[in-house]
């Protein structure tokens, strides 16, 4: 049985939150079968998950941030933006998707995204450019040439 607050969040995005929450909770030793044994706050899961050493946890945490209500998720924008430079492609992809889902609430990441345009990894540059365009940032103004 899932608590009512989790059921409410589940209805916004088919399958994403239960999978993300269950995966993170299982890594924290808090998930057993279909019943939660303990319920850490989603914000704590995101904060810890975004900094985890396991790329699958970072990816799931970024996905979870993208599925949170915007008011809760916008506190994680700097951490999610930093994941665009992660060595793991799945983590970078989840971070891009989360920032795009947050839309204008992710505008605080613009300066970090601009810095990433000159990153040595071309896929990091491309990801940053994609997010900037999705956020409707004027990419023609003040952005360094891609190398």
């Amino acid at each position: 049985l899932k608590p009512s607050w989790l059921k409410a969040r589940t209805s916004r995005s088919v399958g994403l939150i239960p999978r993300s929450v269950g995966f993170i909770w299982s890594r924290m030793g808090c998930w057993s079968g279909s019943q939660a044994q303990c319920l850490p706050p989603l914000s704590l899961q995101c904060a810890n998950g975004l900094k985890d050493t396991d790329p699958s946890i970072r990816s799931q945490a970024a996905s979870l941030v993208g599925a949170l209500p915007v008011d809760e998720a916008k506190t994680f924008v700097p951490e999610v933006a930093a994941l665009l430079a992660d060595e793991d492609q799945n983590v970078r992809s989840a971070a891009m998707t989360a920032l795009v889902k947050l839309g204008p609430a992710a505008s605080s990441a613009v300066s970090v995204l601009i810095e990433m345009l000159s990153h040595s990894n071309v896929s990091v540059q491309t990801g940053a450019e994609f997010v900037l365009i999705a956020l409707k940032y004027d990419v023609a103004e003040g952005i360094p040439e891609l190398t």
Side-chain angles (χ1 to χ4, degrees):
L1 296 173
K2 291 189 171 76
S4 60
W5 60 267
L6 183 57
K7 287 179 188 172
R9 291 173 190 257
T10 304
S11 64
R12 286 190 48 223
S13 178
V14 178
L16 177 66
I17 290 181
R19 181 176 51 125
S20 297
V21 171
F23 185 76
I24 292 171
W25 282 348
S26 69
R27 296 285 298 190
M28 295 173 67
C30 299
W31 192 263
S32 174
S34 62
Q35 295 184 347
Q37 294 176 340
C38 65
L39 301 173
L42 292 178
S43 59
L44 175 62
Q45 293 176 58
C46 290
N48 292 338
L50 292 171
K51 297 173 184 166
D52 200 279
T53 57
D54 185 339
S56 60
I57 296 290
R58 291 193 305 275
S59 175
Q60 290 292 324
S63 295
L64 183 57
V65 169
L68 288 173
V70 173
D71 288 343
E72 289 180 51
K74 66 183 177 183
T75 60
F76 298 105
V77 167
E79 290 90 349
V80 173
L83 291 179
L84 290 175
D86 197 277
E87 67 275 357
D88 187 271
Q89 175 59 42
N90 293 328
V91 174
R92 291 193 305 265
S93 178
M96 281 192 309
T97 302
L99 291 172
V100 170
K101 283 183 178 181
L102 293 176
S107 62
S108 63
V110 167
S111 61
V112 174
L113 292 166
I114 290 172
E115 288 176 20
M116 290 184 176
L117 291 173
S118 54
H119 195 277
S120 60
N121 185 329
V122 175
S123 67
V124 171
Q125 294 174 2
T126 305
E129 183 178 20
F130 173 78
V131 174
L132 285 167
I133 291 169
L135 295 178
K136 297 184 172 101
Y137 185 78
D138 186 358
V139 294
E141 285 186 31
I143 295 181
E145 264 186 55
L146 296 179
T147 55

